[in-house]
Amino acid sequence: MDTNFEHYKVFYYVAKYENLTKAASVLKPSQPAVTRTIHNLENILGCRLFIRSKTGMKLTPEGNIFYEYVAAGCAQFFKGENNLSNLISLENGTIYISATETALHCYLFQAMEEFNSLYPNVRFKILNNSTTESVNAVKEGKVDLAFVSANLQVAKPLRMRKYRDILIAGKRFEELKAGKEELSLKELVSYPWISLTAETISRRFLNEYFEKNSLTFTPDMELATTDMILPAVRHNLGLGFIPAEFADSELKSGQVFEIKVKEKLPERNIILIYDMEYPQSIAAKEFQKFLKEKEM
């Protein structure tokens, strides 16, 4: 049959209120438009649904039977709309995010905690991915937002905050702690080094850093993720660059220490990436607004 939900919706409200004017005020179209819809539905169904009287619109026996089914269907549709509205709201919304480890530790965990103090019912679904995977997740519509720790050429990125890795070592290399306040990279290059694998953006960043200082970076140990560098350093397997936030408790306890390097490692940015053409939920939009205000 050539019907749609709007036909049933109009029928439902006319039957519920037994009044065309009242139904039109809820549905917003004019009363003549509501009347036409009822006539069209009756023509499609091949039976009369209402009897118009001085007291209003009364259902026919056929209309009463039809109303039982339409009312049950509308109740489900309205319930679904309400639940969906709650899911995308600030009451029960969910924000889907892909982020690198560095972005999580240096920025996102703290930001999520602060946002949840304002909106405790909003949930976060986090994918811990590489920078490339995070960008692809946004492109493919798998997440609302991506937070990465790199200087990428993307459309209108929101620059969140700057951070700089520090060089850390374990107790085996205590001689690097004493003496000079700062050591040159040339003095350190012969020591065992720990780094991420060659295909990562962070590794390429370090390669460029060493090359700019006329040195070649050849780490003795290559690891898949940033959070593996700290335990490797703590077990005295080499020196490693890592964001300070990763090693905060170990630095305070003395399990590892920072090596001051003369040639400062360039700062990097944690940036937010999102698709401006992709529809954002209310919760995701509010989180972006919160982050922008946080940076002001």
Side-chain angles (χ1 to χ4, degrees):
M1 290 189 298
D2 188 20
T3 56
N4 58 47
F5 178 61
E6 286 305 311
H7 284 87
Y8 300 140
K9 193 173 180 181
V10 169
F11 168 77
Y12 169 78
Y13 278 109
V14 173
K16 180 179 179 180
Y17 294 117
E18 298 183 343
N19 186 285
L20 289 170
T21 304
K22 204 174 259 189
S25 69
V26 172
L27 295 164
K28 301 307 178 189
S30 64
Q31 183 178 320
V34 171
T35 302
R36 282 195 302 271
T37 300
I38 293 297
H39 287 163
N40 289 338
L41 183 59
E42 289 176 329
N43 288 332
I44 292 168
L45 295 174
C47 67
R48 195 166 183 182
L49 299 171
F50 292 97
I51 297 172
R52 191 164 187 170
S53 68
K54 291 180 179 180
T55 57
M57 302 288 285
K58 298 295 183 182
L59 287 167
T60 63
E62 295 83 2
N64 267 309
I65 293 171
F66 190 54
Y67 179 73
E68 289 180 20
Y69 292 97
V70 171
C74 284
Q76 291 301 310
F77 278 117
F78 298 152
K79 184 179 179 182
E81 287 178 350
N82 185 60
N83 287 344
L84 182 59
S85 177
N86 285 337
L87 283 174
I88 63 174
S89 73
L90 292 172
E91 292 302 316
N92 296 290
T94 301
I95 304 172
Y96 295 85
I97 294 173
S98 182
T100 62
E101 288 172 295
T102 302
L104 281 168
H105 285 275
C106 294
Y107 184 79
L108 196 52
F109 283 140
Q110 180 66 34
M112 289 190 295
E113 180 184 6
E114 292 174 11
F115 186 75
N116 267 156
S117 68
L118 298 173
Y119 306 105
N121 294 324
V122 172
R123 291 175 293 175
F124 290 93
K125 299 286 186 182
I126 306 295
L127 298 177
N128 181 201
N129 285 323
S130 68
T131 295
T132 302
E133 289 168 338
S134 293
V135 173
N136 288 336
V138 171
K139 289 179 180 177
E140 294 165 7
K142 293 179 179 177
V143 297
D144 300 306
L145 312 167
F147 292 82
V148 298
S149 50
N151 291 319
L152 296 175
Q153 297 300 314
V154 294
K156 296 184 179 179
L158 174 62
R159 199 172 299 278
M160 307 305 294
R161 66 164 280 189
K162 293 181 181 293
Y163 76 96
R164 181 183 279 118
D165 289 339
I166 61 171
L167 183 60
I168 60 171
K171 294 178 180 179
R172 172 187 165 192
F173 305 102
E174 290 248 340
E175 72 274 10
L176 300 176
K177 192 176 181 181
K180 300 178 184 177
E181 285 190 9
E182 293 184 332
L183 296 170
S184 70
L185 207 54
K186 191 174 181 180
E187 292 175 273
L188 298 167
V189 73
S190 60
Y191 282 83
W193 283 82
I194 301 166
S195 178
L196 296 179
T197 53
E199 67 274 8
T200 62
I201 290 176
S202 291
R203 172 63 179 280
R204 292 200 291 271
F205 180 76
L206 284 179
N207 288 345
E208 292 172 5
Y209 166 63
F210 274 76
E211 285 172 10
K212 284 179 180 177
N213 288 284
S214 304
L215 296 168
T216 302
F217 185 50
T218 53
D220 298 77
M221 178 180 290
E222 295 184 346
L223 300 171
T225 60
T226 303
D227 64 350
M228 294 173 67
I229 294 176
L230 177 58
V233 170
R234 193 172 61 237
H235 286 285
N236 299 302
L237 298 175
L239 318 182
F241 277 108
I242 194 172
E245 287 83 351
F246 277 72
D248 186 55
S249 61
E250 283 81 358
L251 286 166
K252 287 177 180 175
S253 67
Q255 295 179 73
V256 300
F257 63 91
E258 180 182 356
I259 300 171
K260 301 292 185 180
V261 184
K262 284 181 183 177
E263 300 83 358
K264 299 301 180 188
L265 194 68
E267 286 184 327
R268 287 194 281 174
N269 301 298
I270 295 172
I271 59 174
L272 164 63
I273 299 170
Y274 59 96
D275 186 347
M276 290 187 288
E277 296 181 0
Y278 183 80
Q280 298 275 322
S281 68
I282 294 171
K285 287 179 181 176
E286 190 63 28
F287 188 50
Q288 289 183 61
K289 180 183 174 184
F290 167 80
L291 295 176
K292 288 177 183 177
E293 291 174 351
K294 179 180 168 68
E295 295 306 307
M296 289 178 180

